[in-house]
Structures are given as structure tokens and as C-alpha cells.
């Protein structure tokens, strides 16, 4: 589960930094789980998810919590 409030806090309330942080963490997790498919050259989250999904035939589901914190903090 992705708790957006945590990511926004870790990124010091900077949305661009938060997006980059989410991508880095998710790619790292995908590399741990699918190291035979995801190598160190993968740096784009969308591409990484697409490659893993196509090669494993397993769809991804992301649970996103506190997504509205961005609107509360950046009004």
C-alpha cells in the first residue's frame, strides 16, 4: 500500500520530489521481486511495470491511501 502522506512528508512537501521518490521506491521493490526481469537500467516506473506485467502475465494493483493529502497541503 502506498501512503501518499508519508511520501509527501519524506519529500518535504515537494510534489515533484514525491513523484520521483515513489518511482524510485517502487522500482527498487520491483527489482527485488523480479530481479531476473528488472535490471539496474530500469529507471522509468511505467516502463518497469509494463515490462514485468507483460513478462509475468500478472497484473498490478496498487492500493493508494491518503491521496487527498496533496490537496489538503497544497491548497
Amino acid at each position: 500500500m502506498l501512503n501518499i502522506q508519508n511520501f509527501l512528508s519524506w519529500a518535504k512537501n515537494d510534489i515533484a520530489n514525491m513523484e520521483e521518490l515513489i518511482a524510485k521506491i517502487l522500482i527498487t521493490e520491483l527489482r527485488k521481486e523480479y530481479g531476473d526481469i528488472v535490471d539496474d537500467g530500469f529507471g522509468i516506473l511505467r516502463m518497469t511495470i509494463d515490462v514485468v506485467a507483460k513478462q509475468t502475465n500478472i497484473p498490478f494493483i496498487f492500493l493508494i491511501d491518503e491521496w487527498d493529502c496533496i490537496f489538503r497541503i497544497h491548497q
Side-chain angles (χ1 to χ4, degrees):
M1 177 168 59
L2 300 172
N3 185 324
I4 300 303
Q5 188 169 346
N6 289 345
F7 283 103
L8 190 58
S9 174
W10 295 331
K12 298 182 176 28
N13 292 331
D14 184 301
I15 293 174
N17 286 341
M18 181 192 73
E19 291 173 357
E20 185 177 328
L21 180 62
I22 289 171
K24 284 181 181 180
I25 289 174
L26 289 177
I27 290 170
T28 299
E29 290 298 316
L30 289 168
R31 191 175 293 127
K32 285 181 195 174
E33 188 68 28
Y34 302 101
D36 54 328
I37 298 171
V38 180
D39 63 27
D40 290 336
F42 284 74
I44 300 171
L45 181 58
R46 173 62 192 238
M47 182 182 75
T48 306
I49 292 170
D50 285 347
V51 167
V52 172
K54 285 177 185 171
Q55 291 195 23
T56 64
N57 244 0
I58 300 171
F60 285 90
I61 297 174
F62 293 96
L63 299 176
I64 301 173
D65 190 22
E66 295 292 333
W67 62 271
D68 59 328
C69 72
I70 295 169
F71 302 107
R72 288 194 311 267
I73 294 171
H74 293 282
Q75 303 186 45

